Amino acid sequence: MRKPRIAPSAVVWLLIGGVYFMLPLLATFLFSIKDAQTGKCCSLSAYSFILHDPHFWKTIKLSFRLSLETIVVGLLLFVPTLYWVHLKLPRLRPVIGFLALVPFVVPPIILVVGLLQFFKHDVHAPFWFLGKPDFFLVGAYVILAFPYIYFSLDAGFRSIDVHTLTEASQSLGAGWPTTLGRVILPNIRVAALAGAFLTLAIVMGEFTIASLSAFDTFPTYIQYINETQAYPAAAVTLMSFGITWAAMLSLLLIGRRGGQRTVRVGIGR
């Protein structure tokens, strides 16, 4: 059997894309290792400054926690909803798809101003809701992540036969929770992970809502460093890039392990 050949044009475009992607990162890295006193290479003082700043660890932990909470809330909301829509209410798909486009149209600055105006009165929400990032920011981030989670899950549901899987599961005596958790969810695992990756990237980089609502998250910390420090600003930019990719790879590994366990259970039966 012949191995598939890669077209030379594909290699060229791949190299161009790699250079386009890596060149800014390389330039940022070279700038970040300059000495703050002399401006010459090479020094890791910028990275030492960031790593020894307690505010860095506080904000990165908060943003990562908000990312996980947004992913969990988003999947808990949209997985059952889309499952029911694909199973029983397919006519609502265009309506939900249109609603999913609204966060693209409404800028984040308009969204946060509207939320702050709505929740500032005790009639709509208690003060502890507005003053806690785990409630207010997660609610806003779920709205921002709605299109990414929806379209990822919708593609996953359209790639499987929801009706056949549901009927087969119920014919074996499984209830709705078992069908959704042990039959449907493993089959849309890749789509759920794709939505989780996009949500993580959005929350880890979201600045407007956190800044206007006076919460101190990782993006606001990056902005503060950019305004006050030159070389540490480049260092923290690269570190944020690496942390986001590391978190995505961790979610990917967790998803693969979960998928392997599911397959083994099925074979054991």
Side-chain angles (χ1 to χ4, degrees), residues 19-51:
V19 171
Y20 181 81
F21 181 75
M22 295 301 299
L23 192 59
L25 296 177
L26 178 60
T28 304
F29 173 73
L30 293 177
F31 182 79
S32 68
I33 59 176
K34 290 185 177 181
D35 186 80
Q37 301 297 329
T38 63
K40 297 181 180 180
C41 187
C42 295
S43 173
L44 297 178
S45 59
Y47 293 91
S48 178
F49 175 84
I50 296 298
L51 293 175

Side-chain angles (χ1 to χ4, degrees), residues 36-265:
Q37 301 297 329
T38 63
K40 297 181 180 180
C41 187
C42 295
S43 173
L44 297 178
S45 59
Y47 293 91
S48 178
F49 175 84
I50 296 298
L51 293 175
H52 287 85
D53 187 358
H55 202 54
F56 165 77
W57 295 107
K58 177 183 177 182
T59 55
I60 192 68
K61 289 178 181 178
L62 175 60
S63 289
F64 189 67
R65 187 178 78 233
L66 294 176
S67 301
L68 295 180
E69 291 173 353
T70 305
I71 291 172
V72 171
V73 173
L75 293 179
L76 287 178
L77 283 176
F78 299 128
V79 169
T81 301
L82 283 177
Y83 170 60
W84 193 253
V85 167
H86 278 264
L87 184 65
K88 297 291 187 180
L89 304 170
R91 293 183 179 180
L92 288 182
R93 278 190 57 221
V95 178
I96 300 178
F98 173 78
L99 294 177
L101 295 175
V102 173
F104 287 142
V105 179
V106 180
I109 188 171
I110 302 299
L111 174 63
V112 66
V113 171
L115 290 175
L116 290 173
Q117 289 294 324
F118 181 80
F119 286 120
K120 71 177 183 179
H121 302 291
D122 292 338
V123 176
H124 298 143
F127 178 77
W128 57 262
F129 180 88
L130 187 61
K132 293 284 187 180
D134 297 87
F135 296 103
F136 181 78
L137 285 185
V138 168
Y141 291 159
V142 168
I143 298 175
L144 280 185
F146 177 25
Y148 305 95
I149 298 179
Y150 168 77
F151 289 113
S152 297
L153 292 177
D154 185 62
F157 276 106
R158 285 191 285 110
S159 66
I160 64 175
D161 192 339
V162 176
H163 294 84
T164 301
L165 290 174
T166 302
E167 291 174 0
S169 175
Q170 292 183 342
S171 66
L172 295 174
W176 290 108
T178 303
T179 300
L180 182 60
R182 301 189 63 180
V183 177
I184 301 298
L185 191 57
N187 284 280
I188 61 166
R189 184 181 69 254
V190 175
L193 285 175
F197 294 157
L198 294 172
T199 302
L200 178 68
I202 291 170
V203 176
M204 293 298 292
E206 201 289 316
F207 171 78
T208 304
I209 295 178
S211 176
L212 292 181
S213 54
F215 289 113
D216 209 8
T217 59
F218 187 52
T220 62
Y221 173 77
I222 295 177
Q223 178 63 22
Y224 169 76
I225 295 297
N226 284 331
E227 293 176 351
T228 57
Q229 305 286 338
Y231 302 117
V236 75
T237 300
L238 286 178
M239 293 171 68
S240 66
F241 184 84
I243 290 170
T244 302
W245 275 93
M248 288 183 176
L249 290 176
S250 300
L251 286 176
L252 180 61
L253 292 176
I254 293 173
R256 284 184 174 180
R257 290 177 181 176
Q260 291 174 357
R261 285 195 295 267
T262 303
V263 172
R264 288 173 184 171
V265 171

